[in-house]
Amino acid sequence: MEDSDPAAVRQVCMKITVEVKGIEKMNAELDRIPERATRALMGALYREAERIMTASRPLVPVDTGALRSTGYVELPTEDGGTVSVELGYGGVAGKGKGAKEVGYAVYVHENLEAHHPVGQAKYLEQPVNQAKSDMGSRIIDDAKAQL
């Protein structure tokens, strides 16, 4: 047989059929990946904010202790694919009849001229700035560990 002879051309064909059982369940699990990833990211961001809050507490100036006691970390929120968490100082200190509004958190935080026997100005900004350099990788690693 010559290569140019059309009768010499032979084909080998195979048909492989695979039945996938549980495809609906698999698709449902795949659909939940973004939701699970968002929840993991929210948790990781919250833990990062708590870590920063913990680092900031010793830096908060203390006179009566009221300012330091107002530190908070809100639960994370998600809006249009953006995850955020709020942390800060100020608001109500104490409980019951002894509760009082601490409305001077910003003033104490920003006053670089004040001398504080305990604590310092920029008591929240400094730990945030220190955390920035590797914050992204910590949050990603934490979120991945939750998936």
Side-chain angles (χ1 to χ4, degrees), residues 59-132:
L59 304 178
V60 176
V62 175
D63 181 19
T64 66
L67 179 57
R68 186 178 282 180
S69 73
T70 64
Y72 67 91
V73 177
E74 295 286 339
L75 291 175
T77 59
E78 186 269 329
D79 183 26
T82 300
V83 175
S84 59
V85 66
E86 179 181 302
L87 65 155
Y89 288 89
V92 178
K95 296 181 181 180
K97 291 183 180 182
K100 64 179 178 177
E101 180 71 27
V102 177
Y104 50 84
V106 172
Y107 175 76
V108 173
H109 189 268
E110 297 301 316
N111 186 355
L112 300 176
E113 302 301 318
H115 170 72
H116 304 286
V118 176
Q120 65 181 51
K122 303 294 186 178
Y123 50 86
L124 184 56
E125 185 176 328
Q126 180 181 326
V128 168
N129 287 337
Q130 289 173 335
K132 279 182 183 179

